[in-house]
Amino acid sequence: MEDDTTYDVRVYRTEVYRGAKVTTYKVRWRTDRRLWKKGFRNAALADSFRSSLLTAARRGEAFSLSTGRPMSWERKESTVTWYALTLDYSAAKWPYAAPNHRKSIAEALTDATEAMLASDPIDYPAEDIRRALRIWAFSDRLRGAAEPPADLAAVVRWLQAATVPVADLGRP
């Protein structure tokens, strides 16, 4: 058993609050000594969520003390880097953006990517990094160029591993 999990779980009855305009159904449960609540707009959703909690507790699953949910519900941390995320974002925006808007997207993502470099000693000059991002990553790659130009290939390979994982952005 890990320090941040517990098997001490109790699921309570659903609270019903009938307001002037809206009725809210709150599922309440306790993990260790902390009380958790989740509100729903209809009884069926609340009952389904409550049943899922009960099922997990009856199966003997560990519950997280930080989220109050069964550990089986926790998502595995993604290893997507900032660079990969920006490539996907620019590829999604590219077909629908006007040329000037594409240029603005590339400039904004280039600035943001510079701030998201994880390695402390930067292996390449800032001008080379910016050129690799602007000219190839957020432009030519989207036009169908499979490989970066020879003078930018090393910088692009370095960028693939040099930015922070997206999962780290939510941590203080």
Side-chain angles (χ1 to χ4, degrees), residues 30-43:
R30 181 184 49 81
T31 58
D32 204 19
R33 292 185 179 97
R34 184 168 175 189
L35 184 65
W36 299 88
K37 293 181 184 181
K38 181 160 173 66
F40 296 91
R41 287 291 177 101
N42 69 43

Side-chain angles (χ1 to χ4, degrees), residues 73-103:
W73 294 8
E74 299 286 321
R75 283 195 269 174
K76 301 294 180 228
E77 294 262 332
S78 175
T79 57
V80 174
T81 63
W82 172 261
Y83 178 73
L85 178 72
T86 59
L87 293 181
D88 289 346
Y89 177 82
S90 60
K93 291 292 187 180
W94 189 266
Y96 307 106
N100 281 339
H101 186 60
R102 290 175 182 166
K103 183 179 177 187

Side-chain angles (χ1 to χ4, degrees), residues 2-146:
E2 295 179 18
D3 294 335
D4 61 337
T5 61
T6 185
Y7 293 93
D8 183 15
V9 178
R10 175 143 185 191
V11 181
Y12 300 106
R13 273 188 299 213
T14 303
E15 286 181 352
V16 179
Y17 171 76
R18 288 183 173 72
K21 295 183 180 183
V22 176
T23 300
T24 304
Y25 301 88
K26 283 194 179 167
V27 176
R28 298 179 310 127
W29 71 102
R30 181 184 49 81
T31 58
D32 204 19
R33 292 185 179 97
R34 184 168 175 189
L35 184 65
W36 299 88
K37 293 181 184 181
K38 181 160 173 66
F40 296 91
R41 287 291 177 101
N42 69 43
L45 289 174
D47 189 46
S48 175
F49 184 80
R50 183 177 180 273
S51 295
S52 297
L53 288 173
L54 282 170
T55 302
R58 286 182 183 143
R59 268 196 240 133
E61 289 186 33
F63 278 65
S64 169
L65 291 175
S66 59
T67 64
R69 311 253 172 127
M71 293 302 289
S72 63
W73 294 8
E74 299 286 321
R75 283 195 269 174
K76 301 294 180 228
E77 294 262 332
S78 175
T79 57
V80 174
T81 63
W82 172 261
Y83 178 73
L85 178 72
T86 59
L87 293 181
D88 289 346
Y89 177 82
S90 60
K93 291 292 187 180
W94 189 266
Y96 307 106
N100 281 339
H101 186 60
R102 290 175 182 166
K103 183 179 177 187
S104 296
I105 290 171
E107 288 172 357
L109 291 177
T110 298
D111 292 343
T113 302
E114 273 189 307
M116 296 295 172
L117 292 175
S119 62
D120 200 15
I122 298 175
D123 296 349
Y124 296 94
E127 303 84 40
D128 290 349
I129 295 169
R130 293 184 66 78
R131 203 162 50 85
L133 290 169
R134 255 192 349 264
I135 293 178
W136 187 78
F138 303 135
S139 182
D140 282 351
R141 182 187 59 81
L142 297 171
R143 290 192 197 118

